[in-house]
């Protein structure tokens, strides 16, 4: 998913309890056929573990001849994780990958030295229409991994481990929980899970990762006695186990991990530990020096001219 302008909301943070460090109300932008809510980066917090970008796409109802149409665009020094709850997206990239992304599957695209990709609705689905609901996240890479070869990894729905325990159902996208590990090989210690709780169900978020957050997709959660609702991002306090309870049936994403060894800079679709690398990537895209996407060579998103300077992104650690 390409970065698009999405101003901060006028709403401030809600009151936090001891277990919740910050509550973020995502910025929302209406793209016409679909609303996108951006939880990260925000003024209150730019990163959670390696996660530097967190978008909710939809839910949206696409009628006949409608769909998403994200033209080829570049990334460097990051990895993207696309995860759908409903619908389908056709992914193509400059490695020659062509992959239909469907609900429950995990799609990890490591940009490394540079990659170009497009995300579109297939012609077949445009004929029938579809409902689309999903999440697009970007993960910063450790400095030693930033300039490695680009890659695309796909794990189908049946490859992703599921933990069912009474009122709890958890799909482990990345990382390890309760002795179960996802097959996704990430560049740093990362936690990412799709969690559903029936009404009255409880879930203990262990303090096994330095930085953790919950993003509520639907329903209502009580976190140590305080209720939180749909489309809220809860940054959990480091080192504190946190119990959440569904006051009504709820679905949420749990994510985080170990923070990067230093700050990252973000500008448009580029993320790097080095400002000069972003400037280099800008010039390479402007001059047409990135590889093209087979089957999607004729179209592209031009380099924006009004994005300002790169923004410095940090998580729970303080960097000089």
């Amino acid at each position: 998913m390409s970065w698009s302008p999405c101003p901060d909301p006028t709403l401030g943070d809600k009151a936090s309890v001891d277990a919740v460090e910050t509550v973020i109300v995502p910025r929302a932008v209406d793209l016409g056929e679909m609303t996108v809510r951006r939880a990260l980066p925000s003024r209150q917090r730019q990163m959670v573990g390696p996660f530097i970008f967190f978008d909710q796409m939809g839910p949206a109802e696409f009628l006949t001849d409608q769909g998403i149409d994200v033209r080829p665009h570049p990334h460097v020094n990051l990895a993207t994780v696309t995860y759908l709850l409903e619908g389908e997206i056709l992914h193509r990239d400059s490695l020659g990958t062509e992959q239909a992304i469907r609900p429950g599957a995990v799609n990890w695209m490591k940009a490394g030295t540079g990659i170009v990709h497009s995300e579109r609705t297939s012609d077949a689905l445009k004929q029938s229409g579809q409902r689309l609901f999903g999440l697009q996240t970007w993960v910063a890479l450790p400095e030693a991994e930033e300039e490695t070869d680009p890659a695309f990894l796909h794990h189908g729905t049946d490859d992703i481990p599921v933990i069912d325990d009474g009122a709890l159902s958890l799909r482990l996208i990345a990382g390890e929980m309760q002795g179960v590990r996802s097959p996704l090989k990430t560049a740093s210690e990362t936690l990412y899970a799709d969690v559903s709780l029936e009404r009255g169900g409880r879930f203990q978020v262990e303090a096994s990762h330095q930085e953790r957050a919950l993003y509520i997709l639907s329903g209502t959660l009580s976190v140590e006695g305080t209720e939180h609702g749909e489309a809220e991002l809860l940054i959990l306090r480091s080192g504190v186990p946190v119990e959440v309870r569904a006051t009504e049936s709820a679905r949420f994403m749990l994510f985080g991990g170990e923070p990067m060894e230093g700050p990252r800079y973000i500008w448009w679709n580029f993320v790097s530990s080095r400002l000069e690398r972003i400037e280099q990537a800008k010039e390479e895209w402007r001059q047409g020096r990135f590889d093209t996407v087979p089957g999607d060579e004729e179209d592209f998103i031009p380099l924006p001219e009004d994005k300002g300077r790169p923004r410095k992104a940090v998580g729970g650690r303080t960097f000089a």
Side-chain angles (χ1 to χ4, degrees):
M1 180 68 70
S2 178
W3 176 287
S4 58
C6 200
D8 286 328
T10 56
L11 294 176
D13 284 350
K14 296 182 177 181
S16 297
V17 294
D18 287 344
V20 178
E21 181 181 291
T22 308
V23 180
I24 295 173
V25 178
R27 296 151 285 167
V29 60
D30 186 352
L31 301 180
E33 296 166 347
M34 181 173 68
T35 296
V36 173
R37 291 178 172 83
R38 180 157 304 147
L40 291 175
S42 75
R43 283 190 302 231
Q44 301 99 317
R45 183 70 171 254
Q46 296 83 53
M47 297 180 70
V48 177
F51 289 85
I52 194 170
F53 181 96
F54 192 107
D55 263 10
Q56 175 186 325
M57 305 177 289
E61 194 75 41
F62 291 104
L63 305 178
T64 304
D65 296 326
Q66 294 180 341
I68 68 165
D69 192 24
V70 182
R71 295 171 290 162
H73 58 278
H75 293 287
V76 298
N77 289 189
L78 59 80
T80 69
V81 186
T82 305
Y83 185 76
L84 294 184
L85 307 160
E86 298 180 69
E88 180 179 311
I89 293 174
L90 179 62
H91 164 96
R92 292 190 181 105
D93 63 42
S94 51
L95 299 175
T97 308
E98 182 170 321
Q99 177 66 54
I101 297 174
R102 300 186 176 96
V106 176
N107 303 273
W108 168 278
M109 185 184 74
K110 185 179 72 170
T113 56
I115 199 168
V116 179
H117 75 133
S118 64
E119 295 154 303
R120 303 185 189 266
T121 299
S122 68
D123 291 339
L125 279 176
K126 282 186 178 179
Q127 292 178 12
S128 62
Q130 70 163 334
R131 182 176 166 86
L132 184 67
F133 187 18
L135 298 156
Q136 180 74 48
T137 57
W138 297 355
V139 176
L141 298 176
E143 290 180 11
E145 296 284 334
E146 285 185 324
E147 295 295 336
T148 52
D149 292 337
F152 182 85
L153 299 174
H154 172 82
H155 294 289
T157 304
D158 294 340
D159 300 328
I160 307 306
V162 177
I163 299 172
D164 283 315
D165 186 7
L168 167 73
S169 179
L170 182 151
R171 295 183 58 81
L172 190 57
I173 300 166
E176 183 176 1
M177 293 185 68
Q178 300 182 17
V180 177
R181 176 165 282 279
S182 166
L184 180 63
K185 296 186 184 302
T186 56
S188 63
E189 191 58 39
T190 304
L191 175 65
Y192 197 18
D194 172 6
V195 186
S196 295
L197 276 179
E198 296 177 7
R199 183 176 181 178
R202 297 174 183 270
F203 176 65
Q204 181 86 358
V205 183
E206 300 295 337
S208 52
H209 295 82
Q210 184 172 339
E211 298 186 2
R212 303 155 299 154
L214 306 178
Y215 182 79
I216 304 174
L217 295 165
S218 63
T220 305
L221 292 178
S222 174
V223 182
E224 303 294 348
T226 298
E227 287 197 353
H228 300 276
E230 182 177 315
E232 290 185 20
L233 174 63
L234 314 181
I235 309 295
L236 304 183
R237 195 168 300 281
S238 181
V240 179
V242 177
E243 183 179 82
V244 301
R245 180 174 63 87
T247 53
E248 58 181 80
S249 294
R251 189 173 187 180
F252 59 94
M253 307 303 293
L254 166 64
F255 66 98
E258 298 308 302
M260 294 291 96
E261 65 276 73
R264 292 298 183 269
Y265 297 93
I266 182 168
W267 188 91
W268 191 41
N269 301 315
F270 304 136
V271 169
S272 182
S273 62
R274 295 162 291 141
L275 281 168
E276 64 273 17
R277 183 65 178 93
I278 290 179
E279 294 303 315
Q280 177 188 350
K282 289 163 64 174
E283 188 60 25
E284 288 174 348
W285 185 245
R286 185 183 287 113
Q287 297 295 330
R289 296 204 295 266
F290 277 81
D291 291 337
T292 58
V293 177
D296 208 348
E297 299 97 341
E298 301 303 318
D299 206 359
F300 65 95
I301 300 177
L303 188 77
E305 298 298 335
D306 59 351
K307 295 295 291 182
R309 301 179 63 183
R311 298 166 61 186
K312 185 178 181 180
V314 298
R317 289 180 176 173
T318 300
F319 299 103

